[in-house]
Amino acid sequence: MANRWTLAQAQALFDKPFLELMFEAQQVHRQHFDPRQVQVSTLLSIKTGACPEDCKYCPQSARYKTGLESERLMEVEAVLASARKAKAAGSSRFCMGAAWKNPHERDMPYLEQMVQGVKALGMETCMTLGTLEQTQAQRLAEAGLDFYNHNLDTSPEFYGSVITTRTYQERLDTLDKVRDAGIKVCSGGIVGLGETVTDRAGLLVQLANLPVPPESVPINMLVKVKGTPMADNADVEPFDFIRTIAVARIMMPSSHVRLSAGREQMSEQTQAMCFMAGANSIFYGCKLLTTPNPEEDKDLILFRKLGLNPEHTTTASGDNAQQHQLQAQLAEADTPQFYNAAV
Ligand code: SF4
């Protein structure tokens, strides 16, 4: 059984002087990962908007008027066409997200075909579809699903101020089912919901104390969308966000910590500090669900400036072509021709 974290221990990490925390996080990071490697994923919204849940930060909830156009579940072939593009751009993992409370049985065959099709391209597969039944988790696992994303979002204590239509326990139950089905877990949270530092510590304690910590831990910065109840939330101080990444790295040393939503609003320097704090995964592509993500070429340029490389993922077919493609692009990223070609 892994080390069980207490809230006091997590809080003590948040209370450390910033540079000491960064030093500790970087040391832990280097014990478990190559500090120059960053895992790169692409996220596609396969079913957008009209979600019955009431997550107060989310433009996809049917309860808020954000001007977002709803779209039905995408055709399998259209999803696979996007996956091929992501692979060509260098992504090693393709994440498919649907704005649902839970998938319906009638959707399952299509979801299975998507997983099988993306897998056949030699990419890792990830889905985020809301609450799952055990049989659904099993079917997705059998189709070849590698990861399932289901975020805890925040601490159990603050959770009720953010979402009322799904309980914290339901979320934990879904994570258990995913794990029992043999799928790897991706679960994290959001900074900027109006939570306290203790809530941030509480979220990380929940994640780190799962029977097996998530293999992937996305830490999101709230993207404030007009029309949602959190549109006017106070900005988060970048150092507080970086601190959250660093504490996540120390508490879950073997997990990939993902710098996720909100990156568009961050300076290159803030992103660099996040990598220094132990973030080693990003979303790469022009759309992060429905919110803007840095253009692909900006990411390549930042990788180049920081000397970062996309992580190699040896898929079942042993095909690393997509990483080679991204590395080739990185190698060219300092030439003017590349900037022109990529825009
Ligand atoms: S369940 Fe997901 S899509 Fe639906 S409102 Fe919550 S965050 Fe948005």
Side-chain angles (χ1 to χ4, degrees):
M1 174 92 193
N3 177 32
R4 281 190 71 79
W5 287 86
T6 65
L7 189 60
Q9 288 171 326
Q11 182 83 52
L13 288 173
F14 275 96
D15 290 342
K16 277 195 163 201
F18 183 77
L19 293 179
E20 281 181 41
L21 177 66
M22 291 292 281
F23 182 62
E24 184 175 337
Q26 181 63 201
Q27 281 181 312
V28 170
H29 188 49
R30 281 167 187 262
Q31 282 162 19
H32 293 85
F33 292 99
D34 178 340
R36 291 186 59 188
Q37 300 274 303
V38 174
Q39 190 272 323
V40 179
S41 301
T42 295
L43 176 57
L44 175 71
S45 178
I46 59 170
K47 186 266 168 188
T48 304
C51 182
E53 303 286 65
D54 71 348
C55 310
K56 289 190 174 57
Y57 53 81
C58 182
Q60 303 212 62
S61 169
R63 296 164 194 246
Y64 315 129
K65 289 196 171 34
T66 60
L68 180 76
E69 265 191 46
S70 302
E71 289 167 23
R72 300 164 68 104
L73 182 64
M74 287 173 70
E75 301 283 336
V76 173
E77 193 37 55
V79 172
L80 298 185
S82 290
R84 280 190 284 271
K85 268 177 78 177
K87 179 179 174 175
S91 273
S92 60
R93 190 180 305 166
F94 195 65
C95 308
M96 295 160 269
W100 279 326
K101 183 175 186 66
N102 52 267
H104 293 290
E105 281 309 298
R106 63 173 180 267
D107 299 313
M108 289 301 296
Y110 302 107
L111 298 170
E112 289 168 311
Q113 286 169 36
M114 289 175 195
V115 172
Q116 286 160 351
V118 174
K119 202 75 183 155
L121 295 174
M123 300 181 83
E124 288 185 317
T125 53
C126 175
M127 280 189 158
T128 179
L129 311 168
T131 305
L132 282 189
E133 296 299 331
Q134 189 65 60
T135 49
Q136 293 175 322
Q138 204 57 49
R139 284 176 66 174
L140 292 170
E142 282 160 19
L145 188 66
D146 296 300
F147 288 83
Y148 193 80
N149 164 265
H150 199 57
N151 291 333
L152 293 181
D153 283 354
T154 189
S155 69
E157 294 76 20
F158 188 62
Y159 181 83
S161 308
V162 183
I163 299 136
T164 66
T165 50
R166 176 189 283 158
T167 66
Y168 210 82
Q169 189 57 49
E170 281 177 273
R171 290 188 183 249
L172 291 168
D173 291 346
T174 293
L175 294 183
D176 278 347
K177 290 170 194 164
V178 167
R179 185 63 81 192
D180 287 350
I183 301 169
K184 296 189 196 94
V185 170
C186 172
S187 185
I190 308 173
V191 178
L193 301 172
E195 76 286 348
T196 62
V197 172
T198 306
D199 290 316
R200 290 174 199 157
L203 164 70
L204 296 180
V205 166
Q206 289 289 326
L207 293 168
N209 287 350
L210 287 171
V212 178
E215 281 80 4
S216 183
V217 180
I219 303 292
N220 299 279
M221 173 83 97
L222 174 70
V223 178
K224 292 186 260 185
V225 180
K226 203 162 165 246
T228 62
M230 296 199 168
D232 298 319
N233 274 21
D235 285 340
V236 174
E237 160 68 50
F239 287 123
D240 291 338
F241 183 80
I242 297 162
R243 231 178 241 286
T244 309
I245 298 260
V247 177
R249 164 53 61 229
I250 293 167
M251 290 175 65
M252 290 169 274
S254 306
S255 305
H256 278 81
V257 176
R258 178 175 301 141
L259 184 51
S260 297
R263 212 155 58 81
E264 174 77 3
Q265 283 78 34
M266 291 176 203
S267 67
E268 286 188 336
Q269 290 77 9
T270 296
Q271 293 185 56
M273 290 290 270
C274 288
F275 291 127
M276 193 73 195
N280 61 345
S281 174
I282 59 160
F283 280 116
Y284 172 83
C286 55
K287 262 190 147 186
L288 178 56
L289 284 179
T290 60
T291 56
N293 198 33
E295 292 299 318
E296 295 177 357
D297 61 308
K298 281 198 214 164
D299 288 335
L300 292 177
I301 294 163
L302 182 60
F303 267 44
R304 176 81 188 171
K305 283 183 185 175
L306 300 179
L308 294 174
N309 297 312
E311 187 173 277
H312 285 245
T313 304
T314 305
T315 57
S317 63
D319 177 7
N320 282 327
Q322 69 270 35
Q323 280 80 27
H324 295 155
Q325 168 90 17
L326 183 52
Q327 280 175 326
Q329 290 175 339
L330 283 164
E332 290 177 33
D334 55 349
T335 66
Q337 295 90 323
F338 175 81
Y339 295 123
N340 292 336
V343 170

